[in-house]
Amino acid sequence: MSSHVKLWRDRVGTADYDIQIKEVRLQLAEQLRIFDGQIEQKSQLLQDLIDYLHRRGEIEGEYARSLDKLSERFSSRTRKKEPSHQSVFNCWQVLLTQTRQESRDHSMLSDSYSNTLPQQLSHCLEHAQRLAKRSRDICTQLQDGLLKVTAELQTALKTYYQYYAEFLSAEGKLKEAAKLEEKQKQSTSKKMERLIEKRRCKVQEIQLKCTKARNDYLLNLAAANSCMNKYCVHDLSTLIDCSDLGYHQSVSKVLRFYLTSHQLAQQNLSSGLQQLDKTVSELNQNQDRDTVMQANISAFCLPLRFQYQPYEGDQVCEVSAKCEMRSELVTRFQQLQSRLSSVTIEVEESGKILQSAQFSLLDGIAEDIFRSTSDFPSSPSLEGSNDISSSKTNQPKRRASLPDTESLYFTKVRDQLFNSSLISKLEAKHDLLKIAIQKVESIDDYSRTRSKRSVHHRKSQPCGQISQRLFNGDLLSYIQASGQLIPTVVESCIRFINLNGLHHEGLFRVPGSQMVVNQLKDVFEKGDDPFTDGGFDMDSVAGVLKLYFRGLEKPLFSEDSYDQLMECGQIDDKSKKLAQLKSVISSYPAPLIIVMRYLFAFLHHVSQYSDENMMQPYNLAVCFGPSLLRGPDSGDAAALQRNNDLVKSIIIHHESIFPSHNELPGPVYEKCMTLEEEDCEAGAEEGEVESDQSQINEAKDVPVFDVQSCREWPCLTTQAVPQLSCPLNIGTVSFYTAKLPLNGGEGR
């Protein structure tokens, strides 16, 4: 019943976001529709101009031929007569000469209207359509980025709701235990005190997790609002500018050429040409862009800001840097400052290249459109618009490099927009963290002597008691011998990175100190946990985790299923691909699936901070793919690329591929981990108290390995899960597995 109530509350809390994100999706779709409408409008306008010029050329040609016939008719009459020097005759001769010149002028206009100008407008139409398509593609990518940010916001909200619900449940159990202590004060006072202390620690731990989840939600909330603001205020206008790049200039030059021809041929139409000149002079790309956006204000306006929606009863509405969170947030704040500095420098350098590429592209478009206009006369009033012939010798070379210049320009536009969006997200998180840290500094005088947080783990079994090697051994055999569903080295490294290094730039990509890596390896092989005292650099810790999987005797993905996995990677349909991957992986032994589920959930969590650590899913796949997936042709570059693509898909869709905890009981990776792990030491005592109070308290916090659930999962057979009598370590809780029956025998 409680699960249904919790689900209902989550739906109510996220209903507003669902509606708001749906409206944002509709608005983004409307923007794309308007972009398509604009290119259709520009194409139709240019085509109408071409048709007009063709018809105008025919009219001018007919008029020129009529004038030529008229002039020739009267000229032939005057040639038969003797020349006369009378002023009237001279006027007549001048008139006939003027008529012949006018005929030639109209013939030139006819050729210009029928051939040259339509050809130039055709080139302009091609450029406009191509640039508009590229701009639309970038707009689609930006919109995908916005939708990804909103999805991350929803995920953070759900995680925050989940942990806060757990906090309320743990707090309620604590209150129940306190009431129970008052009722049974004399009989079991010591046991109840231990139980209350355990539950108080549990409440504090869950409260810390809730705080971390709320902080992550608030940071994602600020990032989503910042990205949405950046996209609507700056990116849309930039994309419209990119789509119209060269369009106004080209139309302007075509119409100015039209004006030049008319000014030379028809001085008597000067008043009409001046009016057209004024209209052409008013061509303004920025004004047209603003007009389009103003006319479609509902599609291009800034959406409403996402508002903070706390869980019921939560009064905290800001990022908290109190207690244990202080060290983590200070480290993240410093990493954000470094990342912001590098991205800002990159944007500045990219902006310079973008400006240069824009000038080159404008010159190249102008030269490509007006490649055949050098033979036409120019007007003194338009000397500045006909300087293309000055670099006539360089025109073929520039036209040949035009596609490269165009590709460079749009690549830089895309990089500029994405990097500036990244800066907006990072600055939003940076500012919130700065405020939170400053508030704490103003309240207390916190000591900053500890730069890294230590991770206190339970003591592992000494390697002398385990017959299998930890490093360079067989993972399945080690799990069977040690009883650790997640090997200590994997769990410890992942926990250390979760607490200290999710935002570390170049995580897993930058190599650590080989000497430190070897030292950590030796400590793990002795059965100890080297991270109890902290003090290790993040790259070396990541190097130990990579070294462990790279040195396994058998890769995590069975070599026998390599061909099946490669076939899965070739499937284009996403749903079929994931279903096939799940089918192949489900055939693995259950302990391996549990390790895979834990590892890939962690890698996916790392990729969610790619804005700060620069480790997208593919980058992580490049680091782990060769170690996790090996085949006979793994050394081939093409095969390695396919391997990395497959691992990337598993990282992104790990939740759809691996079984849930209900389907396969075992350790599950937690996004919000805490500093210390004391559940293991307290597990036995808590179990005693709960066994004494089993008739009173029905809720048990210790997870049980459900044998029935294992039978339902096809890979959990007696061959896959051997008889184990040692404790299995699941997350932060230890328990003893049941011995499964072999060959129909009774299990214990």
Side-chain angles (χ1 to χ4, degrees):
M1 181 64 183
S2 61
S3 61
H4 294 290
V5 174
K6 176 182 175 183
L7 180 60
W8 178 81
R9 289 178 178 175
D10 290 345
R11 288 179 176 175
V12 172
T14 57
D16 294 341
Y17 274 1
D18 293 337
I19 296 174
Q20 191 171 356
I21 291 174
K22 182 178 180 181
E23 293 175 353
V24 170
R25 287 178 177 274
L26 294 175
Q27 184 173 345
L28 295 179
E30 179 67 11
Q31 291 172 3
L32 293 178
R33 187 190 67 78
I34 293 173
F35 273 118
D36 295 338
Q38 286 298 307
I39 185 56
E40 291 178 2
Q41 182 179 357
K42 288 191 289 188
S43 300
Q44 185 61 46
L45 189 148
L46 292 175
Q47 188 60 49
D48 290 342
L49 273 175
I50 292 173
D51 295 339
Y52 166 81
L53 291 173
H54 276 301
R55 180 54 185 157
R56 183 67 181 269
E58 294 175 0
I59 295 174
E60 292 290 347
E62 293 174 1
Y63 183 59
R65 289 190 293 272
S66 298
L67 287 178
D68 185 63
K69 290 179 181 179
L70 180 62
S71 174
E72 185 61 26
R73 175 184 177 185
F74 290 100
S75 295
S76 61
R77 293 182 182 181
T78 57
R79 283 195 295 268
K80 296 178 181 179
K81 299 179 181 178
E82 295 181 0
S84 176
H85 299 285
Q86 294 180 0
S87 59
V88 177
F89 182 83
N90 291 336
C91 289
W92 174 240
Q93 290 296 320
V94 170
L95 179 59
L96 291 176
T97 303
Q98 182 185 6
T99 304
R100 287 192 293 269
Q101 181 62 40
E102 188 175 0
S103 175
R104 289 192 293 269
D105 291 340
H106 282 281
S107 178
M108 179 194 67
L109 290 176
S110 175
D111 182 65
S112 175
Y113 295 158
S114 300
N115 300 314
T116 305
L117 292 179
Q119 183 180 3
Q120 295 169 356
L121 288 174
S122 298
H123 288 305
C124 179
L125 178 59
E126 294 174 2
H127 283 290
Q129 291 175 340
R130 186 172 62 255
L131 298 185
K133 183 179 182 299
R134 286 176 175 265
S135 299
R136 190 185 189 281
D137 292 341
I138 295 179
C139 182
T140 303
Q141 296 175 14
L142 287 173
Q143 291 184 358
D144 292 341
L146 286 177
L147 295 178
K148 179 182 177 182
V149 170
T150 57
E152 292 175 354
L153 175 61
Q154 285 183 302
T155 301
L157 175 63
K158 292 178 181 177
T159 302
Y160 157 54
Y161 279 10
Q162 174 189 347
Y163 282 115
Y164 201 88
E166 292 178 3
F167 165 71
L168 294 180
S169 176
E171 192 176 37
K173 290 182 180 180
L174 176 61
K175 293 179 180 178
E176 292 176 3
K179 293 179 180 178
L180 187 60
E181 181 187 21
E182 295 178 359
K183 294 180 180 180
Q184 302 181 359
K185 206 165 192 181
Q186 297 178 353
S187 59
T188 58
S189 59
K190 293 183 179 180
K191 293 182 179 181
M192 289 308 302
E193 287 176 0
R194 289 199 300 270
L195 176 61
I196 291 175
E197 182 62 22
K198 303 277 184 299
R199 295 197 173 179
R200 183 177 294 108
C201 293
K202 188 69 174 180
V203 169
Q204 292 175 353
E205 179 183 356
I206 296 178
Q207 184 177 16
L208 182 57
K209 291 181 181 181
C210 179
T211 302
K212 295 179 69 174
R214 185 195 307 110
N215 288 347
D216 198 25
Y217 165 49
L218 287 169
L219 293 174
N220 280 281
L221 178 66
N225 286 323
S226 179
C227 286
M228 196 68 68
N229 182 76
K230 164 71 171 49
Y231 172 78
C232 294
V233 175
H234 301 288
D235 293 354
L236 286 174
S237 60
T238 301
L239 288 173
I240 295 177
D241 288 344
C242 293
S243 177
D244 290 341
L245 185 65
Y247 172 73
H248 293 75
Q249 181 192 44
S250 302
V251 174
S252 175
K253 286 183 176 293
V254 168
L255 294 180
R256 285 189 181 280
F257 188 84
Y258 174 87
L259 289 172
T260 301
S261 301
H262 269 273
Q263 286 174 350
L264 294 175
Q266 299 179 356
Q267 293 297 330
N268 58 328
L269 299 179
S270 59
S271 58
L273 297 178
Q274 289 174 0
Q275 181 64 30
L276 182 57
D277 189 14
K278 179 181 178 181
T279 305
V280 171
S281 300
E282 292 176 353
L283 284 173
N284 189 312
Q285 180 175 338
N286 295 334
Q287 183 177 350
D288 286 356
R289 177 201 66 204
D290 295 339
T291 302
V292 171
M293 298 184 70
Q294 188 64 30
N296 301 276
I297 188 65
S298 60
F300 293 109
C301 68
L302 178 65
L304 295 176
R305 288 178 61 87
F306 292 104
Q307 299 298 325
Y308 174 59
Q309 297 182 3
Y311 196 81
E312 294 180 1
D314 187 8
Q315 302 297 326
V316 182
C317 60
E318 58 185 11
V319 177
S320 174
K322 297 180 180 179
C323 302
E324 295 89 344
M325 295 303 301
R326 168 70 180 277
S327 177
E328 177 185 348
L329 294 187
V330 168
T331 302
R332 187 172 184 181
F333 176 74
Q334 294 170 349
Q335 291 172 344
L336 278 173
Q337 282 184 322
S338 175
R339 181 77 175 116
L340 269 173
S341 177
S342 61
V343 176
T344 302
I345 294 174
E346 183 180 348
V347 168
E348 291 176 355
E349 295 176 352
S350 177
K352 296 176 182 178
I353 300 175
L354 176 62
Q355 186 177 10
S356 176
Q358 180 175 344
F359 290 148
S360 299
L361 182 59
L362 287 173
D363 293 341
I365 292 175
E367 291 177 0
D368 185 66
I369 293 176
F370 295 94
R371 65 180 66 176
S372 58
T373 60
S374 57
D375 297 333
F376 285 84
S378 60
S379 171
S381 62
L382 298 174
E383 291 178 357
S385 62
N386 293 284
D387 55 354
I388 302 174
S389 60
S390 60
S391 58
K392 185 176 181 180
T393 56
N394 297 327
Q395 286 183 1
K397 183 178 179 180
R398 292 186 179 181
R399 284 197 295 268
S401 63
L402 181 60
D404 295 336
T405 304
E406 185 177 303
S407 298
L408 173 63
Y409 172 75
F410 275 94
T411 299
K412 292 302 176 182
V413 167
R414 182 193 60 200
D415 294 343
Q416 189 83 351
L417 293 175
F418 276 99
N419 286 335
S420 57
S421 296
L422 176 59
I423 289 177
S424 297
K425 290 191 287 186
L426 295 180
E427 284 181 343
K429 296 180 180 181
H430 173 275
D431 294 342
L432 279 180
L433 291 176
K434 182 177 180 181
I435 294 173
I437 294 172
Q438 287 177 345
K439 284 185 177 180
V440 173
E441 289 176 347
S442 64
I443 296 174
D444 57 8
D445 186 13
Y446 183 81
S447 174
R448 304 185 183 187
T449 57
R450 188 175 66 172
S451 59
K452 290 289 183 180
R453 295 175 295 172
S454 61
V455 184
H456 299 286
H457 286 270
R458 58 187 171 275
K459 186 72 174 180
S460 301
Q461 286 182 284
C463 285
Q465 301 178 8
I466 302 176
S467 60
Q468 297 293 328
R469 293 180 299 174
L470 177 61
F471 284 83
N472 302 320
D474 182 71
L475 176 59
L476 185 58
S477 299
Y478 181 82
I479 294 175
Q480 294 170 355
S482 66
Q484 301 172 3
L485 287 183
I486 303 297
T488 304
V489 60
V490 177
E491 183 181 358
S492 297
C493 291
I494 287 178
R495 179 174 292 275
F496 187 89
I497 294 172
N498 177 282
L499 294 175
N500 302 294
L502 289 176
H503 320 286
H504 182 74
E505 186 172 338
L507 184 65
F508 294 114
R509 177 171 53 83
V510 178
S513 170
Q514 188 61 41
M515 181 180 67
V516 177
V517 171
N518 292 333
Q519 291 175 352
L520 294 173
K521 174 186 173 184
D522 294 339
V523 175
F524 276 119
E525 286 181 333
K526 292 178 182 178
D528 296 329
D529 188 346
F531 302 138
T532 55
D533 298 327
F536 295 98
D537 69 282
M538 192 56 56
D539 295 323
S540 297
V541 176
V544 173
L545 185 61
K546 291 193 296 182
L547 176 64
Y548 174 75
F549 286 106
R550 183 169 64 249
L552 287 177
E553 185 178 305
K554 297 179 182 179
L556 198 57
F557 290 91
S558 172
E559 294 179 346
D560 297 335
S561 62
Y562 179 80
D563 294 334
Q564 292 178 295
L565 292 172
M566 290 299 99
E567 292 176 359
C568 295
Q570 302 301 318
I571 300 176
D572 295 330
D573 185 82
K574 177 182 173 181
S575 58
K576 293 181 180 178
K577 180 178 182 178
L578 298 182
Q580 189 64 26
L581 279 172
K582 184 173 184 178
S583 175
V584 173
I585 293 176
S586 66
S587 64
Y588 292 172
L592 294 184
I593 298 178
I594 292 174
V595 175
M596 288 181 183
R597 178 177 66 187
Y598 196 89
L599 175 64
F600 279 95
F602 164 68
L603 295 179
H604 182 264
H605 191 203
V606 172
S607 70
Q608 290 180 327
Y609 294 89
S610 59
D611 290 345
E612 302 173 41
N613 59 34
M614 301 180 67
M615 295 303 293
Q616 292 82 8
Y618 183 77
N619 294 343
L620 293 171
V622 170
C623 295
F624 280 90
S627 302
L628 303 179
L629 188 61
R630 307 172 203 161
D633 56 350
S634 296
D636 181 60
L640 186 61
Q641 176 71 26
R642 292 194 296 270
N643 290 2
N644 295 339
D645 290 336
L646 183 63
V647 174
K648 171 190 171 183
S649 299
I650 298 177
I651 292 175
I652 296 175
H653 306 290
H654 70 100
E655 291 182 345
S656 302
I657 295 175
F658 296 105
S660 64
H661 183 270
N662 294 331
E663 297 172 318
L664 179 59
V668 177
Y669 174 76
E670 289 191 73
K671 291 184 177 181
C672 298
M673 293 184 175
T674 54
L675 289 177
E676 299 183 354
E677 222 179 280
E678 299 177 352
D679 290 336
C680 295
E681 289 78 7
E685 295 179 357
E686 184 175 11
E688 294 176 1
V689 175
E690 289 188 352
S691 63
D692 294 339
Q693 303 295 335
S694 58
Q695 298 178 354
I696 302 174
N697 187 0
E698 297 180 356
K700 294 186 179 180
D701 296 328
V702 180
V704 179
F705 193 84
D706 188 356
V707 178
Q708 184 62 32
S709 299
C710 299
R711 291 172 179 171
E712 295 176 357
W713 186 256
C715 62
L716 276 176
T717 62
T718 56
Q719 291 77 14
V721 182
Q723 291 182 340
L724 301 175
S725 59
C726 52
L728 293 183
N729 301 324
I730 296 186
T732 60
V733 181
S734 296
F735 61 90
Y736 284 78
T737 60
K739 286 191 175 182
L740 299 181
L742 295 176
N743 300 325
E746 294 183 358
R748 186 166 70 250

